[in-house]
Amino acid sequence: MKIIGTGRAVPKHTVSNDMLSEFLDTSDEWIVPRTGIHTRQIITDETLQDLAIEASKKALADSGLEAKDIDFILCSNVANNYVTPAMSAFIQEATGCTCPFFDINGACAGFIYALDIADAYMHSGRAKNILIVAAEEVTKFCNWKQRETSVLFGDGAAAAVVSYDAEPMPVILTGDANYKDVITYRRKLEQTPFEQPDKAVNEAMILKGRDVFRMAVTCAKRDIKALLDKAGLQPSDIKYFMLHQANKRIVDAIQEHLEMPAEKFPTIIDHSGNTSSASVPLLIDETAEKGMINEGDLLLLDAFGAGFVTGAAIVKWGKKSK
Ligand code: ACO
């Protein structure tokens, strides 16, 4: 499978660490060395649907395809204001596509899970071109009185148009529900007259940051090595290692482990924060926009998230530099 177009859209409101310290007991001095985050974009009067649509239209235009050429729309999203219909319904309507669509929740690894589904559709002959969109507003899962979680996240949407390639995409997906408690966010639904109020529902995200950090580094090392072995490639064959932007220190740990130069591990977390499944496609689009990716380049994508799930894949850049 190859990527033939990308696009992104982020909220206009930029929030610095100093702005957070006006209402939270935190500081730039605490946040930067532990996470690498300086600023993040947070949704104010936009909707997540607006961002997902803008990113999709840009990716479609970048691919040179028309709406009628898209055979499927997959949207990766952990949660948004609409329980139903799926976010991908809004995307279909606004882009003028007429194909089927659905949303998936692969947590922060959702973009890689969507790529895997797309590759399977393509290799079963059911689709040639697929629009994948990752759109997340994680800042709305946080309790903004809790400095442990709220300083880490940002919002955004990014999209990629992917197209059939004769070689199946090398991919590794894993899940271990023994660790499902390291990141949880429970939402209240309507209460029926037939049940007692669920007092146990916690209305904001719970994040065991140190456990996530440890697991992220352990799993990424394991998955990247296994994926390279599976694909019969050396680290030097990969143009860029594009890791989920959860913490700059996690990226640094993987880079040091692989003994590859830091330039092969582009990051955006300094100005994006953690945008869940949108982080990898946001990173791809920003890197491509700088003219750093050329036709035929191999990108190794790696992400991890609540569940605990992980995903790693090697995709080909299928167009001239952006
Ligand atoms: N500002 C100031 N102090 C803070 C803040 C803050 N924002 N947050 C926590 N602290 C305090 C704690 O209360 C603690 O104080 P104490 O020592 O008096 O008890 C102290 O700082 C140290 O806290 P630690 O949790 O030990 O800090 P650590 O160095 O582990 O860094 C962090 C925390 C940044 C969350 C790190 O563990 C991390 O990045 N983990 C990964 C998190 C992650 O990826 N989350 C994404 C989840 S979803 C996904 O993408 C998979």
Side-chain angles (χ1 to χ4, degrees):
M1 187 172 61
K2 53 192 179 190
I3 296 179
I4 61 164
T6 57
R8 69 180 188 278
V10 294
K12 59 184 174 308
H13 187 55
T14 300
V15 177
S16 67
N17 294 337
D18 286 342
M19 288 160 80
L20 295 177
S21 60
E22 286 169 17
F23 60 91
L24 279 173
D25 181 14
T26 191
S27 64
D28 194 57
E29 292 71 29
W30 191 94
I31 297 169
V32 172
R34 281 181 181 76
T35 67
I37 302 168
H38 292 258
T39 59
R40 71 287 286 150
Q41 264 95 26
I42 296 185
I43 283 179
T44 50
D45 56 4
E46 310 93 341
T47 68
L48 189 61
Q49 281 78 9
D50 293 338
L51 299 180
I53 289 166
E54 186 184 334
S56 302
K57 286 182 173 174
K58 287 179 177 169
L60 196 55
D62 190 42
S63 73
L65 297 183
E66 293 178 28
K68 66 174 172 39
D69 301 321
I70 300 296
D71 303 314
F72 229 103
I73 300 171
L74 295 173
C75 181
S76 162
N77 172 249
V78 173
N80 72 89
N81 284 333
Y82 273 87
V83 174
T84 197
M87 175 99 65
S88 43
F90 296 90
I91 296 166
Q92 194 229 36
E93 180 186 38
T95 54
C97 293
T98 51
C99 58
F101 51 80
F102 63 90
D103 284 13
I104 65 156
N105 178 355
C108 299
F111 182 71
I112 295 172
Y113 279 69
L115 285 174
D116 185 49
I117 295 168
D119 200 50
Y121 265 83
M122 288 177 188
H123 281 274
S124 68
R126 295 186 63 189
K128 186 167 177 290
N129 303 304
I130 297 183
L131 172 64
I132 299 178
V133 191
E136 303 283 10
E137 48 189 346
V138 205
T139 62
K140 292 190 179 161
F141 307 175
C142 300
N143 176 341
W144 279 87
K145 294 191 172 119
Q146 284 174 3
R147 61 184 182 176
E148 291 80 3
T149 50
S150 49
V151 305
L152 301 173
F153 296 99
D155 302 323
V161 176
V162 294
S163 194
Y164 175 82
D165 187 63
E167 283 176 45
M169 178 183 74
V171 64
I172 288 186
L173 305 180
T174 78
D176 186 349
N178 287 313
Y179 297 96
K180 65 183 185 314
D181 293 339
V182 295
I183 309 162
T184 52
Y185 170 48
R186 292 182 66 188
R187 258 196 310 183
K188 269 193 181 142
L189 297 178
E190 302 299 323
Q191 193 190 325
T192 73
F194 312 105
E195 61 178 352
Q196 294 300 312
D198 181 359
K199 293 199 176 65
V201 172
N202 183 297
E203 293 190 67
M205 181 194 294
I206 297 173
L207 172 70
K208 297 182 181 164
R210 286 203 165 187
D211 291 338
V212 174
F213 193 103
R214 228 181 345 259
M215 290 187 67
V217 173
T218 307
C219 295
K221 285 181 189 171
R222 177 199 66 196
D223 292 350
I224 291 173
K225 182 176 181 326
L227 183 63
L228 288 169
D229 288 349
K230 185 175 176 180
L233 296 170
Q234 298 298 319
S236 55
D237 296 321
I238 302 297
K239 180 71 179 276
Y240 295 116
F241 295 82
M242 300 186 130
L243 275 49
H244 173 42
Q245 303 287 293
N247 188 317
K248 175 72 165 59
R249 285 160 51 215
I250 295 177
V251 179
D252 292 345
I254 309 303
Q255 179 243 321
E256 282 161 26
H257 174 75
L258 288 172
E259 297 180 338
M260 296 302 288
E263 306 84 75
K264 276 185 165 289
F265 291 75
T267 61
I268 55 169
I269 187 153
D270 61 322
H271 57 275
S272 69
N274 180 344
T275 54
S276 187
S277 74
S279 88
V280 168
L282 282 170
L283 174 64
I284 297 172
D285 188 57
E286 274 205 46
T287 309
E289 196 174 70
K290 292 177 190 153
M292 292 165 61
I293 313 180
N294 296 303
E295 194 165 6
D297 283 346
L298 296 179
L299 311 176
L300 192 152
L301 316 179
D302 182 273
F304 49 85
F308 195 84
V309 296
T310 73
I314 298 172
V315 284
K316 200 181 285 175
W317 191 253
K319 57 175 289 170
K320 297 206 167 32
S321 58
K322 211 165 153 84

